[in-house]
Amino acid sequence: MTLAAAAGTAAHATTTAAAETHGFLSPTGVEIAFLLVGLVTLGAAVITVTTRQLVHAALWLVVALGGLAVEYLLLTAEFIAWVQVLIYVGSVVVLLLFGLMLTRAPIGRSPDADSGNRWVALTVAVVSATALVWVVVDAFRTTWIDLDGAPAGSTEVTGASLFQHWVLPFEALSVLLLAALVGAIVLSRKAKAEQAATATAPAPATASGDPGPAATRSDTEGTR
């Protein structure tokens, strides 16, 4: 037996022994961090949907989405983690905060920020979570990860899977987002046109034939 073969045999034996000693009751540091970050993310998500302060709900949503990004990093899916940060934390949450500021949402507690359908919503959430977990477990039960290839969740693997196996859903989603954008523009322009028409409409005449106070005021201002 050569020296290289002996070294390979020893390394294989060490790896096998480490794999046998590592089990459910001896988690690694990455697994412990994954569990702790998951608990923080779950707590932030629960506070987001239960708090009665709209601004606090948006800020706790930032914590929940940021926790998901950290979970993706711990799973070596750095591309999806940065997409999570850029799109959700950097765009969606900022859009929500701008919406709260523009609508002058109350800063304190909002008594009306609650619904009587709390138990119905909780039931739907539990059923949806159960179905999602069951589908994911059933789909990836017999899936094997190639440890010698590119890391799962990296840019190379995600791009190859997206543009080879998910091209049609990706394009359908793009068309859907484009239709939503066009619809939002049409609705906003229609609302502006209705407001302009209401502002320029003449005031109705009274029963005695007088043009009305608004028309009289405009005529007086024109005479001045």
Side-chain angles (χ1 to χ4, degrees), residues 51 86 130 145 186:
T51 183
L86 293 176
T130 304
I145 300 176
V186 171

mmCIF file with all atom_site columns, all heavy atoms in Angstrom, residues 51 86 130 145 186:
data_model
loop_
_atom_site.group_PDB
_atom_site.id
_atom_site.type_symbol
_atom_site.label_atom_id
_atom_site.label_alt_id
_atom_site.label_comp_id
_atom_site.label_asym_id
_atom_site.label_entity_id
_atom_site.label_seq_id
_atom_site.pdbx_PDB_ins_code
_atom_site.Cartn_x
_atom_site.Cartn_y
_atom_site.Cartn_z
_atom_site.occupancy
_atom_site.B_iso_or_equiv
_atom_site.pdbx_formal_charge
_atom_site.auth_seq_id
_atom_site.auth_comp_id
_atom_site.auth_asym_id
_atom_site.auth_atom_id
_atom_site.pdbx_PDB_model_num
ATOM 1  N N   . THR A 1 51  ? -49.461 42.787 16.233  1.00 0.00 ? 51  THR A N   1
ATOM 2  C CA  . THR A 1 51  ? -49.364 44.126 16.789  1.00 0.00 ? 51  THR A CA  1
ATOM 3  C C   . THR A 1 51  ? -50.420 45.055 16.195  1.00 0.00 ? 51  THR A C   1
ATOM 4  O O   . THR A 1 51  ? -50.868 44.861 15.060  1.00 0.00 ? 51  THR A O   1
ATOM 5  C CB  . THR A 1 51  ? -47.961 44.711 16.546  1.00 0.00 ? 51  THR A CB  1
ATOM 6  O OG1 . THR A 1 51  ? -47.876 45.999 17.153  1.00 0.00 ? 51  THR A OG1 1
ATOM 7  C CG2 . THR A 1 51  ? -47.679 44.851 15.067  1.00 0.00 ? 51  THR A CG2 1
ATOM 8  N N   . LEU A 1 86  ? -32.368 42.503 -1.190  1.00 0.00 ? 86  LEU A N   1
ATOM 9  C CA  . LEU A 1 86  ? -32.535 43.598 -2.145  1.00 0.00 ? 86  LEU A CA  1
ATOM 10 C C   . LEU A 1 86  ? -34.003 43.826 -2.504  1.00 0.00 ? 86  LEU A C   1
ATOM 11 O O   . LEU A 1 86  ? -34.461 44.977 -2.570  1.00 0.00 ? 86  LEU A O   1
ATOM 12 C CB  . LEU A 1 86  ? -31.720 43.314 -3.411  1.00 0.00 ? 86  LEU A CB  1
ATOM 13 C CG  . LEU A 1 86  ? -30.197 43.317 -3.249  1.00 0.00 ? 86  LEU A CG  1
ATOM 14 C CD1 . LEU A 1 86  ? -29.528 42.930 -4.559  1.00 0.00 ? 86  LEU A CD1 1
ATOM 15 C CD2 . LEU A 1 86  ? -29.719 44.686 -2.803  1.00 0.00 ? 86  LEU A CD2 1
ATOM 16 N N   . THR A 1 130 ? -49.172 23.664 7.269   1.00 0.00 ? 130 THR A N   1
ATOM 17 C CA  . THR A 1 130 ? -49.103 22.203 7.248   1.00 0.00 ? 130 THR A CA  1
ATOM 18 C C   . THR A 1 130 ? -49.008 21.666 5.824   1.00 0.00 ? 130 THR A C   1
ATOM 19 O O   . THR A 1 130 ? -48.206 20.771 5.524   1.00 0.00 ? 130 THR A O   1
ATOM 20 C CB  . THR A 1 130 ? -50.325 21.607 7.954   1.00 0.00 ? 130 THR A CB  1
ATOM 21 O OG1 . THR A 1 130 ? -50.410 22.143 9.292   1.00 0.00 ? 130 THR A OG1 1
ATOM 22 C CG2 . THR A 1 130 ? -50.237 20.101 8.019   1.00 0.00 ? 130 THR A CG2 1
ATOM 23 N N   . ILE A 1 145 ? -28.158 15.787 -2.986  1.00 0.00 ? 145 ILE A N   1
ATOM 24 C CA  . ILE A 1 145 ? -27.379 16.973 -3.296  1.00 0.00 ? 145 ILE A CA  1
ATOM 25 C C   . ILE A 1 145 ? -25.968 16.553 -3.695  1.00 0.00 ? 145 ILE A C   1
ATOM 26 O O   . ILE A 1 145 ? -25.320 15.779 -2.975  1.00 0.00 ? 145 ILE A O   1
ATOM 27 C CB  . ILE A 1 145 ? -27.327 17.941 -2.098  1.00 0.00 ? 145 ILE A CB  1
ATOM 28 C CG1 . ILE A 1 145 ? -28.751 18.389 -1.732  1.00 0.00 ? 145 ILE A CG1 1
ATOM 29 C CG2 . ILE A 1 145 ? -26.461 19.155 -2.423  1.00 0.00 ? 145 ILE A CG2 1
ATOM 30 C CD1 . ILE A 1 145 ? -28.790 19.278 -0.508  1.00 0.00 ? 145 ILE A CD1 1
ATOM 31 N N   . VAL A 1 186 ? -53.206 52.868 -15.506 1.00 0.00 ? 186 VAL A N   1
ATOM 32 C CA  . VAL A 1 186 ? -54.519 53.205 -16.069 1.00 0.00 ? 186 VAL A CA  1
ATOM 33 C C   . VAL A 1 186 ? -55.465 53.678 -14.979 1.00 0.00 ? 186 VAL A C   1
ATOM 34 O O   . VAL A 1 186 ? -56.190 54.678 -15.141 1.00 0.00 ? 186 VAL A O   1
ATOM 35 C CB  . VAL A 1 186 ? -55.096 51.989 -16.820 1.00 0.00 ? 186 VAL A CB  1
ATOM 36 C CG1 . VAL A 1 186 ? -56.545 52.241 -17.222 1.00 0.00 ? 186 VAL A CG1 1
ATOM 37 C CG2 . VAL A 1 186 ? -54.256 51.688 -18.054 1.00 0.00 ? 186 VAL A CG2 1
#
